[in-house]
Amino acid sequence: MQWEKLLNYNRLNEHEREFDEARNPFSIDFDRIIFSDSFRRLDRKTQVHPMRSNDNVHSRLPHSLEVSCVGRSLGTLVGAQIKDLPAHMNPDRVGQIVQAACLAHDIGNPPFGHMGETIIGSWFEEHGAKYFDAVKPELQSDFIHFEGNAQAFRIMTRLAMYRDNGGLRPTYAVIAAMMKYPWIYQENIKKFCCFSSEREILDDIAAKAGLEGADGMYKRHPLAYLSEAADDICYSIIDLEDAYEMGILRFTEVKEILNAICELPEQKLEGKSPKESMEYMRAIAINKCVGAVVNEFFANYEAIMDGTLHYKHNLLENSAYKEPISQAKKTGNDVIYQNRRKLMLEVGAYNVMGILLETFCDAAFEYVSADKPKDKTQHIIKIMGDHAPSKKDDVFTALHRVTDYISGMTDNYATEKARQITGI
């Protein structure tokens, strides 16, 4: 792979242009994401703790902003060491590419966080048969294996702004740097970045950004390793801080993990409250992790650039701080994510999402299949607004419009809609 193509500043579905020095295309990508309604709704979507009552605890929106800041630092530092950047590029612009990619990384997440993804996939696996006679088997994975990364790609390239004509029309560099898993669903690979519905768009981006590959399995863009690392740094460290805020972890537990990265003498925390101490350690830990990830990137530079580094090679988990990061993630999996309040709300999320999926999928299926849909069905279709299927849509397209609609909901909106539908 060559940086000249990897840093392609031209836009999806637009003609080629000269590079604008006054307002470069990557900063425009950032602005378009910030002003999109899909990004705005992340403020009411779960990061870890559903329906949070404590405003200091992260939702998807501040998480995405923080990841974008860390991503900018990673991109800038890496850009400063790349010797063959194209003439129009500099380290700051490399940082802007990663910043924009990171800003959009969770834009496709449904309500209730990763649990929402699981619920959508499980629901279609259990209830999808009544629709799937009209959907080709190779397309059914879009629903049975619903994936927030693929929904983010769909929003960025199809649904937002220029609907069905390029979406936000991102630069090839930014959308490629966002794609952690540049392929459609594969039987033996858990993650993917693109639904079958956007396969041709993926092929176009891979060609324009120089992500060589075969059979839809493309090489990962080098900057996608940095986008992934920025996300990992933030959630590994900040989930601990949120857990303290929620009363799930004690200060001493958080301090032990963070100080394994910070290595601070005790006197550095003297006179500071637990909250002040955590904020201080968090800043130092993030800064040290950023440096460690940059070192790991260049330790694997040749393999990254020729596409032979396995996509599962996580730069943070293989860095100098792999032990404390491993402990942070283990604490998350064993303690934070098993919190009783969180689990109880996730049980409720199954009911909420089940009600919405059954109601809107049944209506969409009938609307595109029946000559004269029932009045109730037509009411439900009108509720979907811009996401409503048209009579000319096939079942595959209609079901995607339903998942577009439901995955775009916030936690609160989804809960309220389910209450209205059930008459509670």
Side-chain angles (χ1 to χ4, degrees):
M1 293 183 285
Q2 302 297 319
W3 286 114
E4 185 69 43
K5 291 192 77 172
L6 290 168
L7 303 178
N8 188 339
Y9 59 83
N10 289 300
R11 297 191 173 281
L12 185 68
N13 282 34
E14 289 188 4
H15 63 274
E16 294 187 3
R17 301 180 182 183
E18 292 295 319
F19 190 89
D20 187 345
E21 294 286 347
R23 186 163 181 251
N24 78 70
F26 314 125
S27 64
I28 294 174
D29 282 344
F30 184 88
D31 294 350
R32 288 185 178 185
I33 296 162
I34 281 280
F35 282 96
S36 69
D37 55 2
S38 295
F39 182 79
R40 190 182 315 128
R41 288 196 297 270
L42 293 179
D43 189 37
R44 291 288 185 172
K45 289 194 178 189
T46 298
Q47 169 61 16
V48 173
H49 306 282
M51 310 292 282
R52 75 201 194 287
S53 55
N54 185 333
D55 288 338
N56 283 328
V57 173
H58 285 70
S59 68
R60 286 280 164 187
L61 191 143
H63 167 72
S64 297
L65 289 167
E66 289 167 356
V67 173
S68 76
C69 291
V70 173
R72 182 188 62 224
S73 296
L74 287 169
T76 303
L77 290 167
V78 164
Q81 295 187 50
I82 296 173
K83 295 181 170 53
D84 53 346
L85 286 178
H88 65 275
M89 293 300 296
N90 59 39
D92 285 341
R93 288 169 182 168
V94 177
Q96 287 175 327
I97 291 171
V98 183
Q99 181 184 31
C102 288
L103 190 72
H105 83 283
D106 273 347
I107 206 169
N109 274 41
F112 310 111
H114 291 301
M115 180 55 63
E117 292 176 281
T118 301
I119 294 169
I120 293 172
S122 298
W123 188 89
F124 275 106
E125 191 167 26
E126 185 176 350
H127 302 284
K130 60 183 174 180
Y131 318 117
F132 286 164
D133 282 347
V135 178
K136 293 178 182 178
E138 63 269 24
L139 303 181
Q140 295 172 14
S141 62
D142 284 14
F143 310 107
I144 295 172
H145 301 284
F146 182 85
E147 168 63 53
N149 289 299
Q151 188 65 24
F153 184 86
R154 184 170 162 86
I155 289 168
M156 290 284 289
T157 63
R158 183 185 290 275
L159 301 181
M161 200 168 178
Y162 298 98
R163 189 176 181 86
D164 291 322
N165 190 18
L168 287 178
R169 295 186 180 176
T171 58
Y172 289 106
V174 165
I175 190 63
M178 192 187 89
M179 300 189 309
K180 300 176 189 175
Y181 317 103
W183 46 78
I184 62 172
Y185 171 75
Q186 305 290 322
E187 189 68 40
N188 299 316
I189 300 178
K190 183 179 178 182
K191 293 285 190 177
F192 58 98
C193 86
C194 179
F195 292 126
S196 299
S197 52
E198 282 72 55
R199 170 67 182 268
E200 291 183 3
I201 300 174
L202 173 64
D203 293 343
D204 175 54
I205 292 166
K208 296 289 176 48
L211 310 180
E212 301 165 358
D215 300 325
M217 295 290 291
Y218 296 107
K219 294 177 180 178
R220 184 189 262 197
H221 193 290
L223 299 185
Y225 284 96
L226 302 184
S227 300
E228 178 182 56
D231 187 23
D232 274 4
I233 290 169
C234 287
Y235 85 74
S236 298
I237 292 172
I238 294 172
D239 281 2
L240 300 173
E241 197 174 353
D242 280 352
Y244 170 77
E245 190 74 38
M246 296 283 290
I248 299 169
L249 293 177
R250 298 187 300 275
F251 169 65
T252 52
E253 295 173 296
V254 177
K255 178 184 174 185
E256 181 180 358
I257 297 171
L258 291 184
N259 212 29
I261 301 173
C262 299
E263 299 179 312
L264 293 173
E266 192 61 40
Q267 59 263 33
K268 284 285 187 179
L269 301 179
E270 285 180 6
K272 290 182 171 63
S273 68
K275 184 171 178 59
E276 290 171 331
S277 296
M278 271 191 299
E279 290 172 349
Y280 182 62
M281 286 190 292
R282 177 240 296 153
I284 293 173
I286 289 175
N287 186 54
K288 288 198 167 190
C289 284
V290 164
V293 164
V294 172
N295 290 339
E296 183 66 14
F297 181 91
F298 284 104
N300 293 278
Y301 185 73
E302 186 175 331
I304 288 172
M305 291 304 294
D306 65 21
T308 58
L309 186 67
H310 198 282
Y311 78 95
K312 286 187 177 180
H313 186 97
N314 183 294
L315 296 184
L316 180 62
E317 290 179 358
N318 287 278
S319 73
Y321 298 112
K322 61 183 177 183
E323 303 257 335
I325 289 298
S326 175
Q327 183 57 47
K329 291 187 175 184
K330 186 176 187 304
T331 300
N333 290 328
D334 295 350
V335 181
I336 300 172
Y337 308 152
Q338 303 304 318
N339 174 254
R340 290 180 66 184
R341 175 192 176 276
K342 180 179 183 300
L343 294 176
M344 184 60 71
L345 287 169
E346 286 177 351
V347 170
Y350 271 95
N351 295 329
V352 168
M353 296 291 279
I355 290 166
L356 295 173
L357 285 162
E358 181 176 16
T359 299
F360 289 102
C361 285
D362 281 357
F365 180 72
E366 182 187 335
Y367 188 72
V368 300
S369 303
D371 291 334
K372 293 184 178 180
K374 295 190 290 287
D375 286 346
K376 179 183 176 183
T377 294
Q378 297 193 53
H379 289 334
I380 293 169
I381 295 301
K382 287 179 182 177
I383 289 170
M384 293 176 66
D386 290 343
H387 291 293
S390 71
K391 287 293 291 179
K392 65 181 181 181
D393 286 338
D394 57 17
V395 173
F396 175 69
T397 302
L399 292 177
H400 257 302
R401 295 197 181 281
V402 172
T403 53
D404 292 341
Y405 178 58
I406 293 176
S407 66
M409 294 180 179
T410 64
D411 299 4
N412 307 66
Y413 188 82
T415 303
E416 181 59 27
K417 271 285 172 278
R419 284 177 179 157
Q420 291 173 346
I421 288 168
T422 55
I424 298 174

